[in-house]
Amino acid sequence: MKFFLTSLLFCIFFVPSVGHAQFGDLLKKLPGGLSVDSKEQSKPSDKSDSKPINDQGMLGGLLNLGTSSQGENEEIEIGRGITSTILGAAKLFSNNNLQRYVNLVGQNIAQHSERKNLPWTFGIVDTPSINAFAAPGGYILVTSGLFAILDTEDELAAILAHEIVHVNKKHHYNIIQKQKMVEFGSKFMSSSLGKDDKTGISKRLINMGGELIARGLDKDAEYEADRDGVILAARAGYDASAMLTVLSKLQAKARTKGDESMKLFTATHPTPSDRIQALSDQMTDEIESYAIPSTAAERIKKSTK
Amino acid sequence: MKKNLFLILLTFHQTIFASTVSVKKDGDIRADPSNSATVVSTIKNADKVLILGRKGFWVEVKFGNSKGWTKISNLDIKDDNNSGTSDGLSVLSGLASGRVGTGNIVSAAGTRGLDGDQIKAAKNDEVQFKNLTNSRVRPEEATSFAKAAGLNSRNISYLEPPVPNSTDQPVTNN
């Protein structure tokens, strides 16, 4: 289970998209469900996603199929597990003001997207590695290594917007759904699924994680997150070109000899310069007119106070 | 004297942190980063230009005796296959001169980064997860925070996905 979850973490900044509508439709028609209410989850004050997470609970979620609402519950449940696992490897950066700041910026951007009611949750994890993680259901983590090279709130907004698109487009969740249905579709539809069956399926789901890593990620999902992320950030009032600034910095870091902070990032993702090129090639005059520093740009300097 | 020294230093700085890239699309060089600015020169496919700076989606370039602004999309800023020059835009990031970041965040996690093995070996941390959710904010709070800084919402449609290029090869990670 752990391995399966960890594989999903490699959707960092840029997760592959394997959207297959037919599986989504099938999911909606199948019985089953989870215990988490998505409407309740949307309330920041709600603590239902703070309940203990265990493998049985997570596997229960992975093995259930249900209606559209239940599908969202499953998505949130999986995201909780993934996020909790990341936090087991990298603790939160110890500054409550900073954690609140990134939530304020991220939540505002999310409110300019199509999935406003997810339990959007943002955090900075303490590690020098440069990366960001998007987990299903609205959980987004940015490493302190990445935050440390940012100069403006516009740049932070660009990163958070990119991750929000990964969540909204279900880039990683769709991979889970697709592989689960491809391998176990008929079994999932069986009402006589026994305990041994579930155990076997669970083990296979764990192996899928390794396969995901070995197979590599779909670059189209990253380009889509870049493209839509620019729009989301601009909708929220930020500099539409801030992602170019971030990617320029990442490109420079990636080319710095002896710098290990982007090792995983560079091994699994399109190069920043390729992404800059793709993004630039798609810009319209309208978007370019929003490529100006926002009025909130300098606020990041007070984010820890 | 001081002015001359400044110009020398500026030229020196630009020489160090500038980068030569190829033109991939015919275009204009304009006096300012704007479609309405005066055209000072034109560039053609395969020309070489020196990148001096960036503003939004425009890049300041030097081409022959001309200096001005052109759109990034006119240039090939990808890695130019080990020719020894830097990627077109990475030199502009500020990292090349060590001038990035606000300096208000210092990691306490040491120098070892977060790699795949660490994540594989990790156990769910419910206390940390609880702390994470405790920092969550309501949409109304976030909206107020945005307005306090003068951020205004814009009504912008998503861009259409680019038409797939039949010559594109799928990316694989080795």
Side-chain angles (χ1 to χ4, degrees):
Chain A
M1 185 62 219
K2 188 72 62 185
F3 189 59
F4 174 65
L5 290 177
T6 56
S7 71
L8 301 172
L9 308 180
F10 291 86
C11 48
I12 311 183
F13 236 106
F14 319 84
V15 178
S17 174
V18 190
H20 286 253
Q22 66 270 33
F23 294 122
D25 293 341
L26 182 58
L27 280 171
K28 294 174 185 175
K29 296 173 184 172
L30 295 170
L34 294 167
S35 58
V36 183
D37 184 298
S38 64
K39 291 180 180 176
E40 289 303 310
Q41 282 284 346
S42 70
K43 299 176 182 176
S45 58
D46 171 58
K47 303 300 180 190
S48 60
D49 67 351
S50 296
K51 67 185 180 184
I53 300 166
N54 54 52
D55 284 349
Q56 186 176 1
M58 277 303 301
L59 288 176
L62 290 168
L63 295 174
N64 270 293
L65 299 168
T67 64
S68 177
S69 174
Q70 288 164 336
E72 187 168 280
N73 292 339
E74 180 190 66
E75 183 186 352
I76 293 168
E77 192 78 2
I78 291 171
R80 291 174 58 229
I82 293 171
T83 306
S84 183
T85 302
I86 299 173
L87 291 170
K91 308 301 180 193
L92 288 169
F93 191 85
S94 183
N95 185 304
N96 290 338
N97 291 335
L98 177 66
Q99 300 297 349
R100 178 173 168 77
Y101 171 73
V102 74
N103 273 278
L104 287 165
V105 175
Q107 178 69 270
N108 179 52
I109 298 167
Q111 292 307 304
H112 290 80
S113 77
E114 293 67 40
R115 304 185 74 190
K116 299 179 176 64
N117 293 329
L118 286 176
W120 292 103
T121 311
F122 303 83
I124 303 291
V125 291
D126 194 354
T127 169
S129 290
I130 291 178
N131 241 319
F133 304 84
Y139 300 97
I140 290 167
L141 299 174
V142 176
T143 68
S144 57
L146 176 54
F147 190 89
I149 66 169
L150 304 181
D151 285 287
T152 66
E153 189 169 301
D154 293 300
E155 293 171 33
L156 174 64
I159 292 165
L160 297 179
H162 176 104
E163 299 302 330
I164 287 169
V165 175
H166 277 319
V167 173
N168 283 349
K169 296 288 184 179
K170 302 182 180 180
H171 284 156
H172 19 358
Y173 185 61
N174 282 343
I175 295 174
I176 300 167
Q177 291 301 322
K178 178 198 172 191
Q179 295 199 0
K180 184 173 73 172
M181 294 305 296
V182 165
E183 290 203 24
F184 306 111
S186 59
K187 282 194 174 183
F188 272 110
M189 286 184 277
S190 170
S191 58
S192 59
L193 200 62
K195 184 179 179 182
D196 290 344
D197 292 325
K198 288 184 178 180
T199 302
I201 292 171
S202 298
K203 286 182 179 176
R204 180 63 194 122
L205 291 178
I206 293 169
N207 291 335
M208 285 179 186
E211 292 169 5
L212 275 176
I213 295 172
R215 190 171 62 243
L217 306 177
D218 185 343
K219 65 177 182 178
D220 288 344
E222 302 305 335
Y223 292 132
E224 181 178 41
D226 282 345
R227 186 172 62 244
D228 287 3
V230 163
I231 303 301
L232 278 187
R235 281 182 185 173
Y238 291 104
D239 182 347
S241 68
M243 192 59 172
L244 260 57
T245 305
V246 174
L247 290 169
S248 297
K249 290 180 176 181
L250 295 180
Q251 185 68 12
K253 291 287 284 183
R255 293 177 64 91
T256 303
K257 288 181 180 176
D259 191 330
E260 298 282 309
S261 64
M262 287 186 58
K263 194 174 179 181
L264 178 61
F265 180 94
T266 53
T268 54
H269 301 97
T271 67
S273 60
D274 279 346
R275 295 169 59 191
I276 290 171
Q277 196 83 69
L279 205 48
S280 302
D281 289 348
Q282 297 170 66
M283 283 305 110
T284 63
D285 289 346
E286 181 197 14
I287 307 302
E288 287 183 7
S289 71
Y290 299 126
I292 49 176
S294 77
T295 52
E298 300 298 312
R299 195 161 53 174
I300 197 170
K301 293 173 182 172
K302 299 177 182 175
S303 59
T304 57
K305 300 172 183 172
Chain B
M1 179 62 193
K2 282 184 178 177
K3 186 179 179 184
N4 288 340
L5 181 61
F6 173 76
L7 289 174
I8 290 170
L9 289 173
L10 181 65
T11 303
F12 178 67
H13 179 272
Q14 289 185 338
T15 301
I16 288 180
F17 298 116
S19 176
T20 301
V21 300
S22 297
V23 174
K24 69 169 186 176
K25 195 165 67 178
D26 295 358
D28 297 326
I29 297 179
R30 294 177 181 271
D32 294 300
S34 164
N35 283 325
S36 58
T38 307
V39 175
V40 297
S41 185
T42 58
I43 47 178
K44 296 189 180 304
N45 181 39
D47 282 344
K48 300 283 186 184
V49 298
L50 191 66
I51 294 184
L52 304 174
R54 179 178 67 84
K55 192 171 186 180
F57 292 92
W58 291 77
V59 177
E60 186 178 23
V61 298
K62 190 171 187 299
F63 176 60
N65 294 323
S66 301
K67 192 173 161 185
W69 297 80
T70 192
K71 290 192 174 185
I72 296 177
S73 54
N74 291 332
L75 307 176
D76 181 1
I77 53 89
K78 294 178 183 176
D79 193 332
D80 52 356
N81 56 51
N82 303 318
S83 65
T85 59
S86 300
D87 291 319
L89 291 182
S90 66
V91 294
L92 305 176
S93 67
L95 274 173
S97 57
R99 295 179 287 102
V100 297
T102 59
N104 64 354
I105 178 169
V106 179
S107 173
T111 56
R112 186 167 182 230
L114 180 62
D115 59 30
D117 289 339
Q118 282 178 286
I119 296 172
K120 288 176 194 172
K123 297 183 186 302
N124 289 348
D125 192 325
E126 295 170 21
V127 173
Q128 284 285 303
F129 185 81
K130 177 74 162 52
N131 290 340
L132 177 74
T133 58
N134 283 343
S135 294
R136 192 186 292 162
V137 301
R138 294 192 306 276
E140 310 86 79
E141 291 178 271
T143 301
S144 297
F145 188 68
K147 289 190 182 305
L151 291 172
N152 292 315
S153 298
R154 299 165 175 145
N155 185 14
I156 312 171
S157 300
Y158 286 116
L159 296 166
E160 290 296 320
V163 178
N165 185 338
S166 59
T167 61
D168 278 355
Q169 298 296 316
V171 166
T172 57
N173 297 317
N174 299 315

